Amino acid sequence: MKLTGPFKQIVTLANLPLRGKLSDDKLEIIENGGILSENAKIIDVADFDVLKTANPTAEIENIEETQVALPAFTDAHTHICFGGNRANDFAMRNAGKTYLEIAESGGGIWSSVQHTRVASEDELLKTTLERINFLISLGITTIEIKSGYGLNVENELKMLRVIKKAQKFTKATLVPTCLSAHLKPRDFEGNNEEYLQYILNEILPKVKEENLANRVDIFIEKSAFQPEESRNFLIKAKEMGFEITVHADQFTPGSSRIAVEVGAKSADHLEATIDEDIEFLASSETVAIALPGASLGLGEKFSPARKILDKNGILAIASDWNPGSAPMGNLIAQAAILATFEKLSTAEVLAGITFRSAFALGLEDRGKLEKGKKADFVTFKTDNFQNVLYQQGSLKAESVFIDGEKI
Ligand SMILES: [Zn+2]
C-alpha cells in the first residue's frame, strides 16, 4: 500500500454525473489530502494525516512542496501516428490559399498519407512515442490514436501495428482506432462505396485477426464520405463487432444524427451541428466530443459545447492532434480556451477531459479519484487548482502518476 501526499488540494471529481451541466460548487476538494493506492487502484482519498494514522504500514510518497492533484486526463481523439509535417499548409491557409490550392501544391491530407506510407515502422514508432511522451508531460495518461494515413491494407495495418507496439514502450493506456475511412485515397481505383467495401472485406478482418483495434471511425463530410454510404459501412462494421465513432458535422451538418442512430460511442467535431441535431445527440448515449484544437488550427468556430451541456448531453473535449488541422497537441490549453469561448465551468472542463472522455473510450475505470478507480493522477505546483485552466496550458504538470507510481 502506498500513500501519496500531502496535497494542498485534491480535486476528486467524485460523485459528478456523466451527463449535463456542472457548477463548480459541486466539485469535491480535499484540503491536506492523501491518495492511498495498492495494485494500481485507489483505496481511499481523504485527509493525509487521517490516512497515515489509519495505515501505519503504508509506504509514503511524500509531496514536499505545495501541490494540487487531479485525476489524470484522457485525450479521446488523436491522429499522432503520422509521417511528414504540414507547416507549409498552415502558412498557405493563413495566407488565404484555398483547400484545392494547398492540395495542388503537394499539401493536404494526401501529403500525410504519402509521408506515412514511406515511413518505416521504426520511424513511425519513434515519432509516435515522442508525441505520447509530450501528452504524458501534460498529465494525459489515456490516449486514443487513429490510423487513417495509410489508406490501404498494407499501410493501415502498419500504422495499427505501430500503435500496438508503442503500447509496449509506454505506461500510458493507448486506445487504437481504425480510421481507414478517412478519405478515399487517390490511388484507389473505384468509387467511395467500393473503397468502403474494400475496408470491410480486406482491412477490418485483418484488424480483428491481429487484434489491432476494436474501434472503427469514419469521416462523414462532403469532401470525404457521404451520409448513406457511411451509414451502411458503420452498420456492417458494428455487425463485425467493432465499436463506432464518427468524425461528424465538421463543416456540414447531418452526420451526428447518423452517429446516434448507429449507436456510436462518440460523435466528434460538431462545429456545424444544427440545434435540432444537438438536441438529438444530447439526449442519446453517444458522447459529443469537442475538438477545439481543430477550430484553432483552421480558424473555424468552436463546437457548441455550452448547448450540448445545457441539453443534458455527455460532453468530452479532445485535442484532435494531427499534422494538418490541429498541430498544437496541447489539450489543456485548448480546453481552457474552449471554456472562454463557450462559457464552460471549471467542473465542466475537467469532467470533459477526465471521466467523460474516458467513458467515450469505454473506460469507466478512471477519471475520478475515488475508491476502486485506476490510480492515475497529475499534480501541479500551485496552491489553487483553478490555476491549471486559468494559465491556459502554461502551468506545467509537476508529476504524473500511473497505477499509483510516479513516472
Ligand atoms: Zn480527427
Side-chain angles (χ1 to χ4, degrees):
M1 217 157 9
K2 187 166 168 182
L3 177 60
T4 308
F7 291 102
K8 179 78 170 69
Q9 299 172 327
I10 299 175
V11 183
T12 65
L13 306 186
N15 308 314
L16 294 181
L18 179 63
R19 55 195 320 140
K21 56 186 173 188
L22 297 170
S23 61
D24 287 348
D25 59 6
K26 298 286 189 304
L27 288 171
E28 180 187 57
I29 298 158
I30 299 176
E31 307 271 343
N32 188 49
I35 300 172
L36 191 67
S37 63
E38 187 171 38
N39 299 328
K41 296 270 188 284
I42 293 172
I43 306 288
D44 203 359
V45 182
D47 182 272
F48 180 80
D49 299 314
V50 170
L51 288 176
K52 196 175 168 182
T53 309
N55 301 277
T57 58
E59 175 199 341
I60 307 281
E61 171 113 26
N62 206 40
I63 301 297
E64 302 279 354
E65 285 155 305
T66 303
Q67 293 187 38
V68 301
L70 301 167
F73 310 123
T74 290
D75 192 341
H77 183 137
T78 85
H79 307 249
I80 57 172
C81 180
F82 62 85
N85 165 299
R86 281 160 59 192
N88 193 49
D89 288 23
F90 186 76
M92 284 182 76
R93 193 164 50 238
N94 294 345
K97 302 292 183 205
T98 65
Y99 180 86
L100 208 65
E101 286 169 323
I102 294 169
E104 276 167 0
S105 78
I109 188 172
W110 186 243
S111 135
S112 294
V113 173
Q114 287 171 305
H115 283 102
T116 305
R117 283 182 179 179
V118 298
S120 69
E121 283 197 22
D122 283 349
E123 286 164 349
L124 284 176
L125 179 64
K126 181 172 172 284
T127 52
T128 302
L129 281 169
E130 283 167 4
R131 295 179 193 117
I132 289 168
N133 288 333
F134 174 77
L135 291 174
I136 293 173
S137 78
L138 302 176
I140 297 164
T141 61
T142 303
I143 304 165
E144 188 262 13
I145 309 177
K146 300 175 194 298
S147 69
Y149 297 121
L151 307 186
N152 58 30
V153 175
E154 179 194 347
N155 288 290
E156 284 291 299
L157 293 179
K158 177 177 78 177
M159 288 187 73
L160 291 167
R161 286 181 193 128
V162 165
I163 298 164
K164 188 172 184 175
K165 201 164 177 187
Q167 184 63 85
K168 294 200 175 95
F169 296 93
T170 181
K171 289 202 157 67
T173 304
L174 307 183
V175 179
T177 302
C178 180
L179 177 59
S180 300
H182 203 176
L183 87 172
K184 180 171 75 76
R186 285 187 193 176
D187 57 356
F188 183 82
E189 289 177 17
N191 61 25
N192 271 4
E193 283 181 43
E194 287 165 327
Y195 178 64
L196 293 174
Q197 199 57 50
Y198 164 81
I199 298 172
L200 290 165
N201 292 346
E202 306 293 331
I203 300 181
L204 294 185
K206 295 197 175 71
V207 170
K208 264 219 138 32
E209 207 176 285
E210 288 187 41
N211 195 21
L212 295 173
N214 61 21
R215 294 160 44 87
V216 164
D217 193 352
I218 186 169
F219 185 22
I220 308 180
E221 189 51 61
K222 282 206 170 100
S223 60
F225 296 98
Q226 307 315 305
E228 284 319 303
E229 65 198 19
S230 302
R231 184 197 304 272
N232 294 334
F233 169 77
L234 290 172
I235 289 169
K236 286 178 188 151
K238 208 174 175 194
E239 281 167 4
M240 292 175 76
F242 289 97
E243 293 280 11
I244 300 303
T245 175
V246 178
H247 278 69
D249 300 351
Q250 186 178 11
F251 303 108
T252 50
S255 46
S256 62
R257 195 161 266 277
I258 295 173
V260 173
E261 284 166 357
V262 302
K265 283 298 283 184
S266 72
D268 307 23
H269 272 299
L270 312 170
E271 293 88 334
T273 308
I274 57 172
D275 286 351
E276 201 183 312
D277 290 353
I278 289 174
E279 230 173 299
F280 189 64
L281 173 61
S283 58
S284 76
E285 292 300 306
T286 301
V287 180
I289 303 191
L291 304 172
S295 304
L296 293 167
L298 296 173
E300 299 275 347
K301 66 176 180 175
F302 289 99
S303 318
R306 181 71 268 147
K307 284 184 179 173
I308 291 161
L309 287 165
D310 287 346
K311 294 286 178 190
N312 206 33
I314 313 172
L315 179 87
I317 307 166
S319 75
D320 195 21
W321 191 359
N322 75 71
S325 58
M328 184 205 285
N330 189 330
L331 176 61
I332 316 311
Q334 294 163 3
I337 291 166
L338 180 70
T340 66
F341 280 87
E342 283 291 307
K343 303 295 172 242
L344 305 181
S345 71
T346 297
E348 287 166 341
V349 174
L350 293 178
I353 57 177
T354 55
F355 66 94
R356 288 176 173 178
S357 49
F359 176 81
L361 300 178
L363 299 170
E364 290 164 60
D365 64 339
R366 63 195 68 194
K368 292 181 177 185
L369 297 178
E370 63 185 9
K371 186 174 162 42
K373 298 286 189 202
K374 193 172 189 291
D376 284 14
F377 51 96
V378 51
T379 80
F380 293 87
K381 207 188 276 184
T382 177
D383 61 356
N384 174 5
F385 73 95
Q386 290 177 314
N387 283 319
V388 174
L389 296 180
Y390 168 60
Q391 296 189 25
Q392 296 180 304
S394 62
L395 179 66
K396 300 297 174 206
E398 177 65 19
S399 302
V400 179
F401 291 76
I402 296 180
D403 294 337
E405 300 297 328
K406 192 178 188 168
I407 59 158

mmCIF file of all heavy atoms in Angstrom, residues 59 64 79 103 142 220 254 266 279 287 307 310 320-321 332 366 382 401:
data_model
loop_
_atom_site.group_PDB
_atom_site.id
_atom_site.type_symbol
_atom_site.label_atom_id
_atom_site.label_comp_id
_atom_site.label_asym_id
_atom_site.label_seq_id
_atom_site.Cartn_x
_atom_site.Cartn_y
_atom_site.Cartn_z
ATOM 1 N N GLU A 59 3.602 2.668 2.577
ATOM 2 C CA GLU A 59 4.800 3.387 2.115
ATOM 3 C C GLU A 59 4.369 4.826 1.789
ATOM 4 O O GLU A 59 3.315 5.039 1.192
ATOM 5 C CB GLU A 59 5.306 2.678 0.847
ATOM 6 C CG GLU A 59 6.468 3.342 0.143
ATOM 7 C CD GLU A 59 6.587 2.858 -1.309
ATOM 8 O OE1 GLU A 59 6.022 1.784 -1.646
ATOM 9 O OE2 GLU A 59 7.211 3.567 -2.090
ATOM 10 N N GLU A 64 6.671 17.269 -1.209
ATOM 11 C CA GLU A 64 7.390 18.273 -0.426
ATOM 12 C C GLU A 64 6.784 19.672 -0.568
ATOM 13 O O GLU A 64 6.508 20.342 0.415
ATOM 14 C CB GLU A 64 8.865 18.330 -0.868
ATOM 15 C CG GLU A 64 9.621 17.012 -0.749
ATOM 16 C CD GLU A 64 10.113 16.741 0.664
ATOM 17 O OE1 GLU A 64 9.964 17.636 1.506
ATOM 18 O OE2 GLU A 64 10.622 15.622 0.921
ATOM 19 N N HIS A 79 -4.574 11.854 -33.836
ATOM 20 C CA HIS A 79 -4.000 11.226 -35.044
ATOM 21 C C HIS A 79 -2.480 11.369 -34.937
ATOM 22 O O HIS A 79 -1.847 11.933 -35.827
ATOM 23 C CB HIS A 79 -4.460 11.947 -36.310
ATOM 24 C CG HIS A 79 -5.942 12.131 -36.474
ATOM 25 N ND1 HIS A 79 -6.659 11.455 -37.431
ATOM 26 C CD2 HIS A 79 -6.840 12.936 -35.845
ATOM 27 C CE1 HIS A 79 -7.941 11.842 -37.381
ATOM 28 N NE2 HIS A 79 -8.068 12.729 -36.437
ATOM 29 N N ALA A 103 -3.797 21.570 -51.748
ATOM 30 C CA ALA A 103 -3.667 20.184 -52.226
ATOM 31 C C ALA A 103 -2.838 20.131 -53.507
ATOM 32 O O ALA A 103 -1.973 19.267 -53.668
ATOM 33 C CB ALA A 103 -5.050 19.589 -52.452
ATOM 34 N N THR A 142 -4.222 8.510 -20.792
ATOM 35 C CA THR A 142 -5.021 7.642 -21.655
ATOM 36 C C THR A 142 -5.170 8.350 -22.989
ATOM 37 O O THR A 142 -5.631 9.496 -23.044
ATOM 38 C CB THR A 142 -6.404 7.358 -21.031
ATOM 39 O OG1 THR A 142 -6.219 6.780 -19.734
ATOM 40 C CG2 THR A 142 -7.210 6.401 -21.904
ATOM 41 N N ILE A 220 -17.350 11.576 -42.124
ATOM 42 C CA ILE A 220 -18.525 11.846 -42.959
ATOM 43 C C ILE A 220 -18.538 13.340 -43.260
ATOM 44 O O ILE A 220 -18.657 14.167 -42.357
ATOM 45 C CB ILE A 220 -19.842 11.440 -42.247
ATOM 46 C CG1 ILE A 220 -19.762 9.992 -41.728
ATOM 47 C CG2 ILE A 220 -21.027 11.610 -43.198
ATOM 48 C CD1 ILE A 220 -21.019 9.506 -41.007
ATOM 49 N N GLY A 254 -25.536 17.078 -40.194
ATOM 50 C CA GLY A 254 -26.299 15.881 -40.557
ATOM 51 C C GLY A 254 -25.706 14.584 -40.068
ATOM 52 O O GLY A 254 -26.431 13.639 -39.746
ATOM 53 N N SER A 266 -19.107 7.814 -29.773
ATOM 54 C CA SER A 266 -18.936 9.266 -29.773
ATOM 55 C C SER A 266 -19.146 9.839 -31.162
ATOM 56 O O SER A 266 -18.960 9.143 -32.168
ATOM 57 C CB SER A 266 -17.554 9.659 -29.242
ATOM 58 O OG SER A 266 -16.547 9.332 -30.173
ATOM 59 N N GLU A 279 -29.938 18.610 -29.963
ATOM 60 C CA GLU A 279 -30.900 18.035 -29.032
ATOM 61 C C GLU A 279 -30.953 16.510 -29.158
ATOM 62 O O GLU A 279 -30.998 15.789 -28.163
ATOM 63 C CB GLU A 279 -32.281 18.638 -29.307
ATOM 64 C CG GLU A 279 -32.899 19.129 -28.043
ATOM 65 C CD GLU A 279 -34.189 19.886 -28.249
ATOM 66 O OE1 GLU A 279 -34.159 20.936 -28.927
ATOM 67 O OE2 GLU A 279 -35.205 19.418 -27.718
ATOM 68 N N VAL A 287 -21.380 10.128 -26.866
ATOM 69 C CA VAL A 287 -20.645 11.263 -26.296
ATOM 70 C C VAL A 287 -20.364 12.290 -27.397
ATOM 71 O O VAL A 287 -19.937 11.925 -28.493
ATOM 72 C CB VAL A 287 -19.308 10.793 -25.678
ATOM 73 C CG1 VAL A 287 -18.547 11.973 -25.074
ATOM 74 C CG2 VAL A 287 -19.540 9.714 -24.627
ATOM 75 N N LYS A 307 -24.273 24.483 -25.485
ATOM 76 C CA LYS A 307 -25.615 23.997 -25.819
ATOM 77 C C LYS A 307 -25.744 22.501 -25.522
ATOM 78 O O LYS A 307 -26.786 22.043 -25.050
ATOM 79 C CB LYS A 307 -25.909 24.233 -27.304
ATOM 80 C CG LYS A 307 -26.228 25.674 -27.650
ATOM 81 C CD LYS A 307 -26.604 25.798 -29.120
ATOM 82 C CE LYS A 307 -26.945 27.237 -29.476
ATOM 83 N NZ LYS A 307 -27.141 27.405 -30.935
ATOM 84 N N ASP A 310 -26.145 22.126 -21.801
ATOM 85 C CA ASP A 310 -27.446 22.647 -21.358
ATOM 86 C C ASP A 310 -28.589 21.706 -21.744
ATOM 87 O O ASP A 310 -29.628 21.683 -21.084
ATOM 88 C CB ASP A 310 -27.690 24.043 -21.941
ATOM 89 C CG ASP A 310 -26.830 25.101 -21.258
ATOM 90 O OD1 ASP A 310 -26.266 24.801 -20.180
ATOM 91 O OD2 ASP A 310 -26.701 26.211 -21.812
ATOM 92 N N ASP A 320 -7.624 16.250 -31.022
ATOM 93 C CA ASP A 320 -7.569 16.024 -32.476
ATOM 94 C C ASP A 320 -6.147 16.209 -33.014
ATOM 95 O O ASP A 320 -5.965 16.507 -34.194
ATOM 96 C CB ASP A 320 -8.542 16.964 -33.214
ATOM 97 C CG ASP A 320 -8.809 16.536 -34.658
ATOM 98 O OD1 ASP A 320 -8.594 15.352 -34.985
ATOM 99 O OD2 ASP A 320 -9.220 17.392 -35.466
ATOM 100 N N TRP A 321 -5.150 16.069 -32.179
ATOM 101 C CA TRP A 321 -3.761 16.329 -32.617
ATOM 102 C C TRP A 321 -3.486 15.596 -33.925
ATOM 103 O O TRP A 321 -3.577 14.378 -34.000
ATOM 104 C CB TRP A 321 -2.784 15.890 -31.529
ATOM 105 C CG TRP A 321 -1.365 16.348 -31.774
ATOM 106 C CD1 TRP A 321 -0.888 17.074 -32.834
ATOM 107 C CD2 TRP A 321 -0.236 16.108 -30.933
ATOM 108 N NE1 TRP A 321 0.459 17.317 -32.696
ATOM 109 C CE2 TRP A 321 0.885 16.728 -31.543
ATOM 110 C CE3 TRP A 321 -0.065 15.421 -29.725
ATOM 111 C CZ2 TRP A 321 2.165 16.674 -30.991
ATOM 112 C CZ3 TRP A 321 1.212 15.374 -29.173
ATOM 113 C CH2 TRP A 321 2.317 15.995 -29.799
ATOM 114 N N ILE A 332 -4.759 20.768 -22.696
ATOM 115 C CA ILE A 332 -5.106 21.621 -21.560
ATOM 116 C C ILE A 332 -5.311 23.066 -22.032
ATOM 117 O O ILE A 332 -6.286 23.733 -21.664
ATOM 118 C CB ILE A 332 -4.007 21.568 -20.459
ATOM 119 C CG1 ILE A 332 -3.549 20.126 -20.207
ATOM 120 C CG2 ILE A 332 -4.495 22.234 -19.181
ATOM 121 C CD1 ILE A 332 -4.628 19.100 -19.998
ATOM 122 N N ARG A 366 -11.676 4.974 -14.728
ATOM 123 C CA ARG A 366 -10.700 6.054 -14.473
ATOM 124 C C ARG A 366 -11.334 7.437 -14.622
ATOM 125 O O ARG A 366 -12.471 7.570 -15.049
ATOM 126 C CB ARG A 366 -9.538 5.922 -15.460
ATOM 127 C CG ARG A 366 -9.953 6.094 -16.918
ATOM 128 C CD ARG A 366 -8.877 5.603 -17.875
ATOM 129 N NE ARG A 366 -8.734 4.141 -17.773
ATOM 130 C CZ ARG A 366 -7.725 3.445 -18.267
ATOM 131 N NH1 ARG A 366 -6.754 4.058 -18.908
ATOM 132 N NH2 ARG A 366 -7.680 2.134 -18.148
ATOM 133 N N THR A 382 1.116 24.388 -7.338
ATOM 134 C CA THR A 382 0.304 25.590 -7.114
ATOM 135 C C THR A 382 -0.554 25.333 -5.874
ATOM 136 O O THR A 382 -0.722 24.180 -5.468
ATOM 137 C CB THR A 382 -0.602 25.877 -8.338
ATOM 138 O OG1 THR A 382 -1.427 27.008 -8.049
ATOM 139 C CG2 THR A 382 -1.508 24.705 -8.673
ATOM 140 N N PHE A 401 1.369 10.395 -12.248
ATOM 141 C CA PHE A 401 1.343 9.059 -11.628
ATOM 142 C C PHE A 401 0.464 8.141 -12.456
ATOM 143 O O PHE A 401 -0.654 8.506 -12.814
ATOM 144 C CB PHE A 401 0.786 9.132 -10.204
ATOM 145 C CG PHE A 401 1.684 9.835 -9.203
ATOM 146 C CD1 PHE A 401 1.787 11.215 -9.207
ATOM 147 C CD2 PHE A 401 2.396 9.099 -8.288
ATOM 148 C CE1 PHE A 401 2.613 11.859 -8.292
ATOM 149 C CE2 PHE A 401 3.228 9.747 -7.355
ATOM 150 C CZ PHE A 401 3.340 11.117 -7.372
#
